[in-house]
Amino acid sequence: MKLTVIGTGYVGLVTGTCFADSGNDVVCMDIDRKKIESLKKGIIPIYEPGLKELIQKNQKEHRLKFTTDMESAVRESGIIFIAVGTPPDHNGATDLGAIKAVARDIGRFMNEHKIVVTKSTVPVGTSEAIQKIISKETRTPFDIASNPEFLKEGAAIEDFMKPDRVVIGVNNESTGAVLKSLYEPFTRTGNPIIVTDVRSSEMIKYAANAMLATKISFINEIANLCTITGANIDDVRKGIGYDNRIGHLFLFPGVGYGGSCFPKDVKSVIHVGRQHGYSMELLSAVDRVNDHQKALMPQVIRKHFGGNLKGRRLALWGLAFKPKTDDIREAPSLVIIPALLKAGASVTVHDPEAMKNIKNVYGSKIQYAKDMYAALKNADGLVLVTEWNEYRKPDFDRMLKVMKGNVIFDGRNIFDRQQLLDSGFEYYGIGR
Ligand SMILES: NC(=O)c1ccc[n+]([C@@H]2O[C@H](COP(=O)([O-])OP(=O)(O)OC[C@H]3O[C@@H](n4cnc5c(N)ncnc54)[C@H](O)[C@@H]3O)[C@@H](O)[C@H]2O)c1
């Protein structure tokens, strides 16, 4: 099939590449000229394991092209995926500016029947709004569909190629059949393609992210109570996880959820509720608990150093909002770093992939280490913020030699508390 993907970010680029890899002819379009020029040369603007190789392979086989030309991108394909950003505005509402601009362009350049698929995460009713915008521009018949994306950054290729499920929202059977056949190569293991109406499909994405965010805020709140009462969250987690109705997955306490999805999607659901006169009590609390969790670690650090961080040197391991990505959008590090600086500390950071992005935010306000041990040089303490694999089993003796102090603030509970205490460290975890 001939496909166009508009918006070549984390989702659009992975979507376009994976569809090309399953034999389709794909055009990826973006308004960002620099990004498209790089991609044409095989230079990938983001870090995502396996993506570079897959892009280069499909470029070589002429199934994957990049362009900034909206007109040809629309005209060339029968199926157009919209995968542009849907960031939050200052009220927590979803900014649909890019989506609407793209819809207008699709309408303007529509030359024959097309299926216009919303892959971006959008509030219920947006695909219908897209339909109206396109209809204003063209009399050519077209169909709309909703096809939310569930990939996780850091495992995006794997998630796209082997999805737990695919959700497709359509207004008629024939559109559903076309999209189902497009996804069939990825669901050979029997994972379902769920076909719904358009509104339910849009809601499924928000409900999924809201549920996942709720799990994180829930376990963080219980972990904080463990700290206060002397219980151990590791045992509590195990103790509840063996209940089949609860399960073990996604119940890890930490320094709060970040990324470009959970924070904005939770806020968007709250906002949509408000628009309809319905107060989303649970999700409002989930959002507040998360803000609190991000602010908690700097408070613990301050308290440890007697309320004053002047002259203290802190090392941070991990800046991305999660491992295996360079994405720092809404990352806990963006709350922890300014809080430490404000309290008078100097901060040296390390991350395997996100240093460049953090440098764009903090410039010369912080120091950037060439490797994880260099970050510890003369540090009074280490703050573990993102659980990259390479941080999990460090050389603790080497760390003690390099550091001035001996305290570790483990924001992801990746270290063995007793082992660290035995090695001569002081240790703070989350709820342990
Ligand atoms: N990142 C994720 O893990 C993830 C997962 C699932 C769903 N989503 C959703 O997918 C959507 C895209 O997310 P992302 O992380 O890929 O965003 P992104 O910011 O990485 O990429 C968006 C791209 O759209 C381009 N763009 C903006 N306006 C445009 C226009 N008018 N025409 C063409 N291109 C335009 C930008 O230049 C950018 O390259 C969002 O709705 C997001 O909520 C994201």
Side-chain angles (χ1 to χ4, degrees):
M1 290 190 216
K2 282 195 155 189
L3 313 177
T4 288
V5 181
I6 300 176
T8 309
Y10 287 87
V11 166
L13 192 53
V14 170
T15 300
T17 306
C18 292
F19 277 141
D21 202 59
S22 64
N24 300 288
D25 286 324
V26 180
V27 179
C28 285
M29 186 273 162
D30 203 288
I31 44 169
D32 184 337
R33 287 184 180 280
K34 237 170 100 188
K35 196 180 255 189
I36 292 298
E37 283 317 309
S38 299
L39 283 164
K40 278 181 178 170
K41 291 181 203 142
I43 302 166
I44 317 306
I46 55 169
Y47 173 75
E48 183 60 47
L51 184 58
K52 188 174 164 190
E53 296 75 11
L54 212 57
I55 289 177
Q56 290 173 348
K57 173 184 160 218
N58 283 284
Q59 271 180 315
K60 216 183 261 171
E61 289 164 13
H62 307 293
R63 284 195 299 267
L64 183 60
K65 286 188 208 140
F66 296 98
T67 184
T68 53
D69 179 18
M70 180 68 98
E71 182 168 355
S72 65
V74 171
R75 286 178 182 274
E76 259 177 51
S77 301
I79 306 177
I80 300 173
F81 286 87
I82 306 177
V84 296
T86 49
D89 73 7
H90 56 280
N91 288 322
T94 304
D95 179 349
L96 294 173
I99 290 268
K100 288 180 177 169
V102 168
R104 269 190 297 277
D105 283 345
I106 293 174
R108 282 202 299 140
F109 300 127
M110 183 90 75
N111 53 337
E112 57 188 14
H113 177 269
K114 300 190 190 288
I115 300 174
V116 180
V117 189
T118 314
K119 194 160 244 330
S120 302
T121 304
V122 292
V124 175
T126 303
S127 298
E128 287 163 22
I130 290 172
Q131 186 170 25
K132 282 195 188 126
I133 293 169
I134 298 175
S135 298
K136 274 193 186 160
E137 304 288 336
T138 183
R139 303 183 94 161
T140 310
F142 66 96
D143 285 294
I144 55 150
S146 156
N147 169 223
E149 182 49 57
F150 298 96
L151 63 77
K152 302 182 288 293
E153 286 176 25
I157 304 280
E158 174 85 1
D159 286 346
F160 196 95
M161 297 285 201
K162 294 179 197 158
D164 291 340
R165 81 310 205 178
V166 173
V167 174
I168 294 170
V170 287
N171 290 328
N172 56 54
E173 269 183 35
S174 60
T175 307
V178 173
L179 294 178
K180 263 178 109 169
S181 77
L182 188 61
Y183 274 105
E184 261 155 18
F186 307 111
T187 53
R188 291 234 167 86
T189 46
N191 289 344
I193 300 177
I194 299 164
V195 182
T196 71
D197 62 276
V198 172
R199 286 186 168 235
S200 303
S201 166
E202 289 170 332
M203 183 62 96
I204 286 169
K205 175 64 193 178
Y206 279 108
N209 274 359
M211 181 69 210
L212 293 169
T214 301
K215 284 181 108 174
I216 298 174
S217 278
F218 168 79
I219 202 69
N220 280 337
E221 196 162 63
I222 296 290
N224 295 343
L225 195 59
C226 285
T227 305
I228 296 164
T229 56
N232 184 340
I233 192 66
D234 297 333
D235 293 334
V236 173
R237 234 172 36 76
K238 257 185 244 155
I240 62 172
Y242 281 103
D243 184 327
N244 285 332
R245 294 166 302 175
I246 298 173
H248 295 284
L249 299 179
F250 231 69
L251 284 174
F252 294 93
V255 281
Y257 59 77
S260 67
C261 292
F262 292 170
K264 89 166 163 60
D265 292 350
V266 168
K267 285 186 171 66
S268 178
V269 177
I270 295 167
H271 187 267
V272 169
R274 206 182 301 134
Q275 272 180 324
H276 289 84
Y278 188 76
S279 175
M280 303 295 287
E281 299 290 326
L282 177 62
L283 291 179
S284 301
V286 166
D287 190 41
R288 279 198 308 277
V289 168
N290 194 53
D291 285 346
H292 173 260
Q293 198 67 16
K294 284 180 171 174
L296 195 60
M297 185 55 98
Q299 290 169 22
V300 171
I301 297 169
R302 254 179 105 142
K303 197 167 165 207
H304 172 82
F305 288 108
N308 190 355
L309 295 183
K310 288 224 163 63
R312 297 290 180 180
R313 196 179 190 87
L314 287 157
L316 244 80
W317 280 0
L319 303 165
F321 84 94
K322 63 189 272 192
K324 295 190 188 168
T325 180
D326 60 348
D327 197 346
I328 60 164
R329 290 180 281 187
E330 303 270 347
S333 62
L334 296 177
V335 174
I336 295 171
I337 292 171
L340 296 179
L341 291 177
K342 196 168 168 216
S346 76
V347 176
T348 305
V349 299
H350 177 262
D351 186 285
E353 295 295 337
M355 297 281 264
K356 200 172 129 212
N357 287 337
I358 279 285
K359 219 173 200 168
N360 289 337
V361 180
Y362 294 108
S364 59
K365 290 189 186 132
I366 58 176
Q367 286 77 51
Y368 305 89
K370 68 176 189 323
D371 63 54
M372 58 193 265
Y373 294 103
L376 298 175
K377 200 170 170 208
N378 294 326
D380 292 288
L382 164 66
V383 193
L384 184 289
V385 184
T386 314
E387 67 279 31
W388 284 88
N389 264 345
E390 46 257 75
Y391 299 149
R392 284 180 183 270
K393 294 280 171 206
D395 181 339
F396 291 120
D397 291 337
R398 182 173 170 192
M399 288 167 68
L400 272 179
K401 276 186 202 135
V402 182
M403 288 171 70
K404 189 164 83 189
N406 66 342
V407 61
I408 293 184
F409 303 92
D410 180 0
R412 301 289 178 177
N413 285 1
I414 63 169
F415 300 128
D416 182 329
R417 180 173 181 271
Q418 198 53 51
Q419 187 195 357
L420 285 190
L421 296 179
D422 293 346
S423 311
F425 283 100
E426 288 185 81
Y427 178 85
Y428 293 85
I430 312 280
R432 306 161 125 180

